């Protein structure tokens, strides 16, 4: 198992099917252009590779907010291939994200998870994440 940042078009496309399990509304043919456009604004991706296949993928950003007292890593997306769950890929990816955040001087790691994702929440609690606030939104 190897975790690495996805930089090339081929690497980004290799993770597309796993990411689309979490984000199915992104059309397959638009995926690369969408990710590349987001990368212009600071979005990055990392993937867990095993036997030449992407088993898990995460999208993240690093930025500052006043209330954190420093930089934070915000995890936009964290998706493990549904056929590969409970094999350590999610943990390996989250460990890599935490290490990357520390290496970049971040004081916190944040992520939001839909209220319907009970199995994901169980994983996050097991990995030491806590519920620290509600996240509110409105459609515009």
């Amino acid at each position: 198992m190897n975790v690495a940042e996805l930089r090339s078009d081929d690497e980004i496309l290799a993770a597309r099917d796993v990411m689309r399990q979490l984000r199915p509304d992104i059309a397959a043919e638009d995926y690369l252009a969408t990710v590349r456009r987001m990368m212009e604004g600071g979005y990055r991706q990392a993937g867990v590779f095993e036997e030449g296949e992407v088993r898990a993928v995460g999208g993240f950003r690093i930025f500052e907010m006043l209330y954190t007292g420093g930089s934070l890593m915000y995890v936009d997306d964290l998706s493990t291939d549904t056929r590969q769950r409970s094999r350590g890929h999610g943990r390996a990816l989250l460990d890599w994200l935490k290490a990357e955040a520390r290496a970049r001087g971040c004081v916190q790691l944040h992520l939001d998870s839909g209220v319907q994702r009970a199995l994901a929440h169980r994983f996050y609690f097991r990995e030491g994440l806590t519920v620290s606030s509600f996240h509110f939104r409105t459609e515009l």
Side-chain angles (χ1 to χ4, degrees):
M1 193 177 329
N2 177 47
V3 185
E5 188 164 349
L6 308 180
R7 292 190 169 101
S8 73
D9 288 355
D10 287 342
E11 291 168 336
I12 293 165
L13 287 170
R16 177 179 56 194
D17 290 343
V18 175
M19 183 64 82
R20 289 188 69 242
Q21 290 175 19
L22 178 65
R23 307 287 185 222
D25 292 338
I26 301 171
E29 63 273 11
D30 296 335
Y31 183 77
L32 181 60
T34 301
V35 169
R36 284 293 184 202
R37 187 174 57 253
M38 291 172 63
M39 285 178 159
E40 292 173 10
Y43 179 79
R44 297 163 57 190
Q45 288 187 329
V48 177
F49 293 85
E50 185 178 62
E51 298 175 3
E53 299 290 325
V54 174
R55 305 296 192 203
V57 61
F60 62 98
R61 305 164 195 272
I62 295 174
F63 56 92
E64 285 187 82
M65 295 186 82
L66 291 174
Y67 79 91
T68 63
S71 295
L72 67 95
M73 175 183 281
Y74 180 81
V75 179
D76 294 48
D77 321 285
L78 198 146
S79 181
T80 299
D81 189 334
T82 57
R83 299 162 298 189
Q84 300 292 328
R85 292 212 173 124
S86 298
R87 296 185 182 179
H89 304 112
R91 173 178 282 166
L93 181 56
L94 194 54
D95 286 348
W96 186 94
L97 290 165
K98 289 175 182 177
E100 180 71 6
R102 285 184 197 102
R104 301 287 178 184
C106 295
V107 297
Q108 296 178 0
L109 181 143
H110 290 224
L111 64 81
D112 290 330
S113 183
V115 295
Q116 77 283 2
R117 301 192 68 230
L119 292 176
H121 301 163
R122 191 170 70 189
F123 167 72
Y124 297 142
F125 287 135
R126 191 174 62 237
E127 295 304 312
L129 282 75
T130 61
V131 176
S132 62
S133 65
F134 287 105
H135 179 99
F136 295 92
R137 74 176 188 188
T138 186
E139 300 296 325
L140 301 175

